[in-house]
Every structure is written in C-alpha cells, then in structure tokens.
C-alpha cells in the first residue's frame, strides 16, 4: 500500500490538473478574447461559458487539494516557492470570477469596467499558471535559465488557452462570432505551435534529469509517439482552419478535440519526465507522501466520488449542449 | 523598516478569512431559502414565489462566486503562507479539506449552472433537485470545514510521531468534542444572516416603492424565520460556551476578561481590559452573573487568565468581539419579534419597522465576524490547541513580500466588497417583476410550463 498509494494519488492529481487545463483553459481563453468582440458578441461569449465556469475552476482546487492531501511535504515547498505567481494567479481568478457576475449585475454604467476586469483577470491567471508550470518543471530553482523557461511557458499556455477558446466558440457560436473565432484561431495557432515547439526543445536543456530519460535507448523509441502524434494533431488543426465551410457546417469541434489531444499528450510527456519525483531532483512521491492511514481514508472518498463527479459533469454539459443562447437570469 | 513577517502573515490570513466567511455565511442559508421558495412555487403555483426565487438566485450566484474565488485563495494560502501547518497536521487537514472538495464543492458548482440558466432546458423536478443539491452541497462544505476547524480547537483521535500528527480514529477526529456545537451554531448563524438579509433588502424595496407581492412574501419569510431562530441561537450559543469552558478555559477567561480565578465571578458588561496592568478599567459588572451563565451556579469557580500565564489570547479583542456578537444577537431577537407582531397576517408594515429591518440587512455579517474573532483569536497562541503554535508553522517569506501581497489583497477585497454591495443595491432598486404578475391557477399548469 505504501508503494501504490502515492502512485494512485499522483495519477489523480495529474488527471485533475489535465481536466483543469482543458476546461478552465477554454473559459480563460474566452476571457482573453473578450476585448476583440463587439458588445453583443461579448454577451454571447460570456453566455457560452456561463453554466460551466464555476465547476471548471473547481478542478484546480482538486488538483492542489490532492497535492495537499497526499504530499503535504511537497505542497508546502512548491507553493512557498511559487508564492508570487500563485498570489497573482489567485488575484486574477478572483477578479474574473466576480467580474463575470458583476458585469450584468452592477448596472450598465459599469459594464465595460467589468468586461476589462474579466479580460485582465483571465490573462493574469493564464500567464501566472504558465509561469508556475515553467518554474515547477525546471525544478523550482530560480536561476536565469529557469526564469527564461518560465517566461516561455508563461506565454505558451495562454496561447494554448486561446486556441481552446476558439474551438469552444466554434461549437457554441453562430454568425459573426463564429466567423471571428475562425480568424482568432488562425492568429493564435502559430504562437501556440511555436511555443510548444520551443518548450519541447527547451525542457531537456533546462533539466538534465528529463534529458536523461528522453534521450536514452530504448526509451526514446517508446516515447516517440508523443511528439509524432502531437505534430499530427497540430497539422490537423492547420488543415481544418483552411476549410471555412467545414467549420460552418459544424466541424469546429475537431479543433477543440485536437487541442485537447495535444494537452493529453503533453501531460503524458510531462508525467513521464517527472515521475516518480514530485519535485524534480529533490523529492520523490514516496518521500513526500502523507501517512498510509490518511491516504487510505481519502481514497475511499476519491474512488466513490470522482466517477460521480465525472458523470454529473457530463450531465450538466449535455443539459447545456448545442449553440449558446442569450444568458438570462430571469 | 523592520516588518514582522509572522504578524503580517497573521493579518493577511485574518483579512482573507474575514472576507471569505462573509459569503459562505450567506450562501449556506440562502441555498435552503431558495429551495423553500422553489418548493412553495411548485406546491402553490403562485408565481410570486418563482419571482422571489429568480431574484434571490441571482444574488446567490454572485455570493457563491465571491465565496469560491476567496475560498480558492484560502486553500492556496495554507501552502504559500503556512507550510508548517500542512507538514505537521496534513494527515488530518488534507483529507478533511479533500472531502469538502470531493463531496460538496463540485456538487454546488455543477448544479448552480442548472439553477441559474436551466429554466428552458430542464423540468421543474430537475430544477428542484438541482436547488436541493446546491443547498445540500453548501451545508456539506460547512460540515467538513467546521469539522477541521473544531478539531483545531479541540483535537482528539490523534497521536504525535516525530512532531507529525497521525490519525488514530477518524470518527474521533471528525466528531471532535466542539464540532456539534460549532456546526449547529454556524448553520443557525448563516440562516439568521440570510433571514435579515432577505428581510432587510425587501424592507428597503418597500421603502423605495419598488416592492411587489413577492417582496412581502420574502420579507415575512425572513422575519418569521429570524423570530424562531434568534432564541434558538442564544440557547445553542450558551451550550457552545459551556463546551468551550470545558475544553478551552483560557478562551472563556479572555471572553469575560476575568484576570483572577474566582468563585462567584461577575459578568462584565463594559470594561477596557488592560493587559499590561492585568486588570479592567471602568468596569461595569453584574455580580455572580458570569458564574451563573458559565457554571449555572452563583458561586461556581471560573478560571482566570492568571492560570494561563503567557499562554492566553489577547484579551481586549476577544472580550469586545464577544460583546458585539451578543449585542447584535439581542437586537436580532428584538427586531424579529417586533416584526412578527406587525406582519402577522398582513402585507404592510409601518415605516419604523421597515427602516429598522433595512438597517439590519447586514447585521448577520457583523455577528458572524465577531463570533469568528472570538473563537479564532481566542485560540491564540495556538493554531492547534495545545499541540502546535502559530509561530511554528509560518513560511519564512521576507516581511516586505508579505506586506506587498497583503496590501494587494486589502485593496482588492475593499474594491470587491464595495462592488458586491453596489450590485446588491442595483439589483434591489429595480421595480419588482412580480408587479407584472399573471395569476396562475394551479400547480399543474406551472409544472407544465417549467
């Protein structure tokens, strides 16, 4: 049990953070796109994420929660090192979370202020998350190389969120907003691809531990499908974006699906790079783990509730399936 | 300038938790009120109840969003500011916080979407179920959080191994000695906060002449609920006090500013406690009353602060917070009974009552904050009573960093509080939708529509 429990938990944590990146990713992306739309489109964009954003954001609480439950020693070290970007992310999430509600409830004269707050909050949170991821992957060192690396991911993750958001809007929007989301996707796809490519090249350069894992035979062979499949997904997105008619006829979901696939592949690659450490080169998951009794107690809850959560998440998404309709609180 | 990181970290945590608690204090109770409105609509088919529901669900959503975002901040701050707490007590705190997220948080966040935007998309039955699940979720959240908080006051069911807390019995941890009292006290506090919030906003609407049938139904719901709950809360609060006396006598001594152990201790109505001189200035006392309240005997012995030299909480803060809570509680009792007497069987009230109710709109917040200050400051210098000190768990960030983020949080929170109350005011100023009321004859037709 002492061997398997930390592995199970690190898996759950990875799953929660992956779901978070995909789900909150698209709604953060919608927030970042907001200034590019006109008033009516802004309302429709917000309407498209209205029923979902609360639950989307909960996945990061679960991710950090699992870190706290299962690896209390690492939790303190990681979050203390990431104090500043974590605080900035929190302020961003606070701002956008309340701006979402207040833009319609605070009165018309304040609406543009809250629209801006929603944009600023979304952008801040996305950059801070990228920064945190970069600092984490480079081993929480804080030297110049890792700062540059953090900055690189700090720009790549928002680009990924933008592409996710465009995919989301292609499923949810009609008319001028759909047309715009195609144009936005064309603008965001290259920065995202370039960012991901640079990150893939830079990761083994900043971390010897990761380089050793990827560039030894036969591991390199087993792991080759990850970059190859990612490239294929990317090519698929580029092709889809050349086919406006296909998107108008309802193929927009493929952009979203392909981007999600890239997220899944990147997560697998990352998991392989880091495992079995919880802080690269410093602490393994077994060293950081909480007591077996505590882990077992929570595991009962995890096994019973996570499937239920996934089921009702699907139900809620099905209830609000299809093109977004005007958001009315009446 | 030399900034004390511990003090700053404590102020930052206090600011965060003070801001955060304002919103759960509303959403826990309001969730059940919304379910009540929806049920009344379903049973009576009276559309006024549906209007009441949609008016207050908007405020619920705003409140919930404020609670979620400030709650996420709390969960991160354990790691960023208090890593020692998780390292030493993670075996207890982690699973309890985890169960909150798993069983409650997702439930609320997922089904709130249906409550808000599901009108055209789900049946009334599904809508009712969602309202129930959200209300149940908020309460379950409170259950786990208060279980952990109570355990930090009255820890049981654990042993210490190499400085780390290990769980011996989960039942003893979750249902620790102060938990039932704290949980019920908080649920009642939340319901009372909501009762005065809905009654206060409705009274304000009546004063502004933007009220409709729904406004009065809501006002009466709030006032009647408060009239029943206020005395119940005083009773539960007394039980909670007795429990605290048994487990945390230092806190009681600070609440009553009793410096020396005394048989037949007086209750101090007013005083300026002086820690340096270890006595009270300008004290107004009721003889034997503290002993009577705490031990239910006039000559009962009450331990004084002298029994906890150097280990007791700051007295003045705890003493005054406690008195503010009592005063607001007493006011709630008076106003709700006055209101019940006036509103019984009628849809009108005189101006003084309406003014009193609208002045009391946020009275619940004052009482809840004061109550939490009593209990949390009253635990100092411990983070886990008798087990772990606050000074042992703080992160060693430079004072300047903590001061900068503290300033950021304070600005943001002040701005958001103004925005929240502004939005409430803005929503409340619109003429009641229920004035456009179309009579609905039966519940069956309402169900068909929904």
């Amino acid at each position: 049990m002492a061997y398997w429990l930390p592995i199970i938990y690190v898996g759950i944590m990875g799953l929660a953070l992956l779901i978070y990146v995909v789900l909150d990713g698209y709604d953060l992306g919608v927030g970042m796109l907001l200034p590019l739309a006109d008033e009516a489109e802004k309302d429709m964009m917000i309407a498209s994420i209205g029923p979902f954003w609360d639950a989307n954001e909960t996945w990061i609480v679960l991710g950090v929660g699992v870190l706290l439950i299962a690896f209390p020693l690492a939790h303190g070290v990681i979050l203390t090192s990431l104090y500043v970007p974590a605080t900035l992310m929190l302020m961003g999430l606070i701002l956008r979370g309340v701006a979402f509600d207040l833009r319609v409830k605070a009165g018309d004269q304040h609406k543009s202020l809250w629209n801006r707050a929603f944009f600023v909050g979304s952008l801040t949170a996305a950059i801070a998350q990228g920064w945190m991821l970069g600092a984490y992957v480079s081993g929480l060192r804080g030297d110049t190389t890792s700062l540059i690396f953090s900055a690189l991911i700090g720009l790549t993750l928002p680009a990924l969120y933008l592409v996710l958001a465009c995919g989301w809007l292609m499923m949810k929007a009609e008319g001028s907003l759909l047309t715009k989301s195609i144009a936005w996707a064309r603008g965001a796809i290259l920065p995202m691809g370039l960012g991901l490519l640079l990150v893939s090249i830079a990761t083994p350069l900043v971390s010897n531990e990761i380089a050793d894992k990827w560039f030894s035979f036969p591991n390199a062979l087993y792991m080759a499908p990850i970059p190859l499949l990612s490239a294929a997904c990317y090519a698929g997105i580029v092709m889809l974006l050349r086919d406006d008619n296909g998107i108008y006829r309802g193929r927009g979901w493929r952009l979203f699906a392909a981007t999600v696939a890239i997220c899944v592949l990147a997560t697998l690659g990352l998991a392989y790079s880091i495992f079995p450490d919880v802080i690269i080169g410093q602490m393994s998951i077994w060293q950081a783990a909480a007591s077996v009794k505590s882990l077992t107690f929570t595991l009962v809850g995890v096994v019973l509730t996570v499937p239920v959560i996934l089921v009702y998440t699907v139900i809620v998404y099905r209830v609000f399936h299809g093109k977004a309709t005007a958001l009315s609180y009446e | 300038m030399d900034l004390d990181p511990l003090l700053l970290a404590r102020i930052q945590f206090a600011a965060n938790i003070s801001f955060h608690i304002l919103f759960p204090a509303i959403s826990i109770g309001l969730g059940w009120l919304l379910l009540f409105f929806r049920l009344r609509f379903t049973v009576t088919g009276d559309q006024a109840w549906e209007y009441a529901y949609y008016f207050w669900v908007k405020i619920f959503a705003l409140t919930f969003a404020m609670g979620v975002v400030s709650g996420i901040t709390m969960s991160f701050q354990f790691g960023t500011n208090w890593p020692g707490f998780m390292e030493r007590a993670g075996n207890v705190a982690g699973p309890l916080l985890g169960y909150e997220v798993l069983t409650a948080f997702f439930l609320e966040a997922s089904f709130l979407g249906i409550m808000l935007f599901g009108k055209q998309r789900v049946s009334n039955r599904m809508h009712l179920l969602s309202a129930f699940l959200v209300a149940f979720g908020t309460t379950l959240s409170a259950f786990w959080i208060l279980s952990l908080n109570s355990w930090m006051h009255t820890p049981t069911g654990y042993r210490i191994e190499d400085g780390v807390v290990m769980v011996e019995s989960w039942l003893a941890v979750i249902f620790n000695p102060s938990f039932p009292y704290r949980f019920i006290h908080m649920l009642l506090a939340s319901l009372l906060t909501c009762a005065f919030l809905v009654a206060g906003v409705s009274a304000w609407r009546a004063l502004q002449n933007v009220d409709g049938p729904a406004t009065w139904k809501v006002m009466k719901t709030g006032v009647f609920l408060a009239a029943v709950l206020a005395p119940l809360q005083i009773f539960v609060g007394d039980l909670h006090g007795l429990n605290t006396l048994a487990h945390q006598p230092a806190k009681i001594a600070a609440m009553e500013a009793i410096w020396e152990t005394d048989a037949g201790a007086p209750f101090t109505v007013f005083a300026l406690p002086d820690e340096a001189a270890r006595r009270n200035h300008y004290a107004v006392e009721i003889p034997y009353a503290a002993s009577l309240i705490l031990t239910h005997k006039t000559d009962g012995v009450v331990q004084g602060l002298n029994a906890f030299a150097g280990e007791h909480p700051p007295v003045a803060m705890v003493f005054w917070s406690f008195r503010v809570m009592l005063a607001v509680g007493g006011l709630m009792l008076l106003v709700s009974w006055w209101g019940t007497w006036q509103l019984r069987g009628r849809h009108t009230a005189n101006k003084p009552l309406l003014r009193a109710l609208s002045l009391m709109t946020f009275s619940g917040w004052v009482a809840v904050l004061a109550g939490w200050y009593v209990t949390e400051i009253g635990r100092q210098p411990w983070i886990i009573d008798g087990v772990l000190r606050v000074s042992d768990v703080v992160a060693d960030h430079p004072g300047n960093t903590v001061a900068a983020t503290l300033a950021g949080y304070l600005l943001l929170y002040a701005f958001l509080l103004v925005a929240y109350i502004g939005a409430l005011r803005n929503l409340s100023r619109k003429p009641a939708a229920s004035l456009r009321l179309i009579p609905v004859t039966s519940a069956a037709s309402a169900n068909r529509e929904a």
Side-chain angles (χ1 to χ4, degrees), chain A residues 64 69 72 75 79-80 83 94 98 101-102 105-107 290-291 293-294 297-298 301 309 312 319 321 327 330, chain B residues 58 62 66 69 72 76 79-81 86 91 94-95 98-99 106-107 110 117 121 167-168 170 397 405 416 423 426:
Chain A
V64 173
I69 297 162
H75 175 259
L79 287 183
T80 318
Y83 185 72
I94 291 175
V98 298
D101 263 300
L102 285 169
K105 293 176 187 169
S291 75
K293 183 149 189 174
S294 289
F297 174 68
T298 323
I309 292 170
Y312 64 60
V319 165
H321 177 76
L327 198 61
E330 299 285 337
Chain B
K58 280 183 269 184
L62 181 60
M66 301 280 273
V69 292
I72 294 176
F76 272 80
T80 53
N81 292 24
M86 278 303 147
N91 283 327
Y99 267 99
F106 273 109
L107 206 62
S110 302
F117 309 118
R121 293 180 182 253
V167 174
E168 288 202 315
W170 277 109
H397 296 298
T405 52
L416 291 180
N426 184 55

Side-chain angles (χ1 to χ4, degrees), chain A residues 50-62 64-65 68-69 72-73 75-77 79-84 86-87 89-91 93-98 100-102 104-109 113-114 117 132 289-302 305-306 309 312-313 315-316 318-325 327-330, chain B residues 12 51 54 57-59 61-62 64-66 68-70 72-73 75-81 83 86-87 90-99 101-103 105-114 116-119 121-122 126 144 166-170 174 395-397 401-402 405 408-409 412-413 415-416 419-420 422-424 426-427 429-430 433:
Chain A
F52 311 110
W53 77 270
D54 252 336
N56 292 347
E57 208 163 278
T58 306
W59 289 98
I60 198 174
V61 183
L62 182 63
V64 173
L68 179 156
I69 297 162
L73 292 177
H75 175 259
V77 176
L79 287 183
T80 318
S81 324
L82 299 176
Y83 185 72
V84 175
T87 307
M89 177 193 80
L90 292 171
M91 289 181 173
L93 289 179
I94 291 175
L95 206 56
R96 74 186 289 277
V98 298
F100 180 90
D101 263 300
L102 285 169
V104 283
K105 293 176 187 169
D108 291 338
Q109 71 275 29
L113 167 79
W114 289 112
M132 286 160 76
S291 75
V292 169
K293 183 149 189 174
S294 289
L295 291 181
T296 320
F297 174 68
T298 323
L299 192 65
V300 178
V302 171
T305 55
V306 170
I309 292 170
Y312 64 60
T313 302
I315 291 176
V316 171
R318 282 190 52 167
V319 165
F320 295 101
H321 177 76
K323 298 292 181 187
T325 44
L327 198 61
S328 162
Y329 286 94
E330 299 285 337
Chain B
Q12 182 164 336
Y51 283 122
Y54 278 109
V57 83
K58 280 183 269 184
I59 291 165
L62 181 60
F64 185 73
M66 301 280 273
V68 169
V69 292
S70 56
I72 294 176
T73 312
S75 72
F76 272 80
Q77 285 213 335
F78 286 120
T80 53
N81 292 24
M86 278 303 147
E87 282 164 25
N91 283 327
V92 168
L96 295 184
L97 291 170
Y99 267 99
V101 177
L102 288 167
T103 60
F105 207 31
F106 273 109
L107 206 62
E108 302 164 55
S110 302
F111 286 96
L112 180 59
I114 294 182
L116 277 169
F117 309 118
K119 194 179 184 184
R121 293 180 182 253
V122 298
M126 178 69 185
W144 293 112
M166 304 298 260
V167 174
E168 288 202 315
S169 155
W170 277 109
I174 295 171
D396 58 346
H397 296 298
T401 314
V402 185
T405 52
Y409 278 123
L412 186 62
Y413 288 161
F415 171 64
L416 291 180
Y420 177 81
L424 222 62
N426 184 55
L427 287 173
R429 236 177 359 193
K430 293 183 183 135

Side-chain angles (χ1 to χ4, degrees), chain B residues 436-448:
Chain B
R436 296 180 262 120
L437 206 61
I438 313 150
V440 173
T441 44
S442 73
S445 63
N447 281 332
R448 259 198 310 279

